[in-house]
Amino acid sequence: MWWFQQGLSLLPSALVIWTAAAFIFSYITAITLHHVGLALPHISDTGTIAPEKCLFGVMLNITSVLSIATIYVHYKQVHALNPEENRIIRLNKTVLVFGLLSCLGLSIVASFQKTALFVVHVGGAILTFRLGSLYMSVQTILSYHMQPRIHGNQVFWIRLLLVIWCVVSALSMLTCSSLPYTGNFGSDVIQKLHWNPEDRGYALHLITTAAEWSMSFPFFGFFLTYIRDFQKISLRVEASLKGLTLYDTVPCPVNNERARLLSRDL
């Protein structure tokens, strides 16, 4: 059996691969059609103009759905492993809320381009990355409390390093992105898609975009640390029939029907 056939490990793997494909395809399309400059555009810039904005929106919305599924399955796994530990249960519920709100923000970013509705787009980005960073942080704290009985030390340290990488990149991006608004960099700095080396603020733009791309790697790569966890999960669907017909409202004892969904029993 291949590693991606074990349990539900295919779910976080598909999430990361699909997200990387969304960024790469949108970037290549935007560069090929000369809609953005070659020198490290913002991630959102590669999904601002048609046709790449259509591709960017559809693929990131699918990423949002995959993220919701991954976050919820991991929440149920942690809950099942720690049914009576109140501290872990509270942290697990908190991290679920952070994760779901971050997915909502990602869907908003995908659906509202910055050149169309800038405020909505930025609001979605704040939900995505700030709450997503909190999700990663609290999830790392959970890993710490679950070791060594359930989690190994290696998983905790990998997640901690990814959180530090994400936070440092986010702080660098926020610092450099706020500086153009305090100086004389022009009124079109927000909507600008093409940057030239002679433009004022070009160096700050490069640092900001580099930090943004750097932040996205640990942000979505964090889900790769779920692969080993998900190899131990089997998902089933169970239909409980309450009557012999679909229109009969009188309860009737009928045997439950169970079927495997997505994976084998382990």
Side-chain angles (χ1 to χ4, degrees):
M1 182 184 295
W2 296 94
W3 65 268
F4 56 84
Q5 294 177 297
Q6 299 177 20
L8 290 178
S9 58
L10 183 61
L11 185 56
S13 304
L15 167 60
V16 176
I17 294 172
W18 182 267
T19 305
F23 290 162
I24 293 171
F25 291 159
S26 298
Y27 176 81
I28 292 175
T29 304
I31 291 294
T32 302
L33 298 177
H34 305 288
H35 290 163
V36 295
L38 287 173
L40 281 179
H42 285 287
I43 296 175
S44 298
D45 290 349
T46 63
T48 299
I49 302 176
E52 61 266 21
K53 75 173 183 179
C54 306
L55 181 67
F56 187 80
V58 170
M59 294 190 74
L60 277 195
N61 275 310
I62 294 176
T63 293
S64 181
V65 174
L66 291 173
S67 300
I68 291 173
T70 304
I71 289 169
Y72 182 74
V73 170
H74 194 266
Y75 161 79
K76 295 296 289 184
Q77 183 185 37
V78 173
H79 181 77
L81 291 171
N82 303 272
E84 298 179 355
E85 298 188 31
N86 293 329
R87 178 174 55 182
I88 292 182
I89 291 174
R90 288 195 297 269
L91 287 174
N92 197 31
K93 290 181 179 179
T94 301
V95 82
L96 175 66
V97 174
F98 287 157
L100 294 180
L101 289 177
S102 178
C103 294
L104 173 63
L106 182 63
S107 182
I108 293 174
V109 169
S111 303
F112 298 91
Q113 293 75 36
K114 75 173 190 177
T115 54
L117 291 170
F118 180 75
V119 175
V120 178
H121 181 84
V122 170
I126 292 173
L127 275 178
T128 302
F129 290 109
R130 289 192 180 180
L131 293 184
S133 299
L134 287 175
Y135 173 83
M136 293 170 60
S137 301
V138 179
Q139 197 64 258
T140 303
I141 295 173
L142 272 175
S143 299
Y144 175 79
H145 287 298
M146 293 168 65
Q147 63 174 343
R149 182 172 62 90
I150 297 174
H151 255 311
N153 294 332
Q154 184 180 14
V155 174
F156 164 72
W157 285 110
I158 291 175
R159 290 178 180 175
L160 180 60
L161 290 175
L162 289 174
V163 168
I164 294 174
W165 180 3
C166 184
V167 171
V168 171
S169 298
L171 291 176
S172 302
M173 183 191 70
L174 291 174
T175 301
C176 295
S177 63
S178 62
L179 291 178
Y181 301 100
T182 62
N184 185 21
F185 293 97
S187 58
D188 62 338
V189 66
I190 296 177
Q191 309 291 347
K192 195 169 186 176
L193 298 179
H194 291 271
W195 287 80
N196 299 310
E198 62 273 10
D199 291 341
R200 186 175 176 85
Y202 179 76
L204 285 175
H205 167 74
L206 286 183
I207 297 173
T208 301
T209 53
E212 184 181 30
W213 283 97
S214 175
M215 179 178 62
S216 68
F217 295 145
F219 189 81
F220 289 102
F222 188 85
F223 291 105
L224 290 178
T225 65
Y226 287 0
I227 290 177
R228 183 174 295 179
D229 298 348
F230 277 38
Q231 287 176 340
K232 301 175 176 65
I233 300 177
S234 179
L235 184 63
R236 283 178 173 269
V237 60
E238 179 177 334
S240 180
L241 301 178
K242 303 301 182 182
L244 295 176
T245 63
L246 295 179
Y247 55 83
D248 185 9
T249 58
V250 179
C252 178
V254 179
N255 292 332
N256 292 338
E257 177 69 20
R258 298 183 179 181
R260 284 193 295 270
L261 180 64
L262 294 181
S263 68
R264 303 175 181 176
D265 286 328
L266 298 178

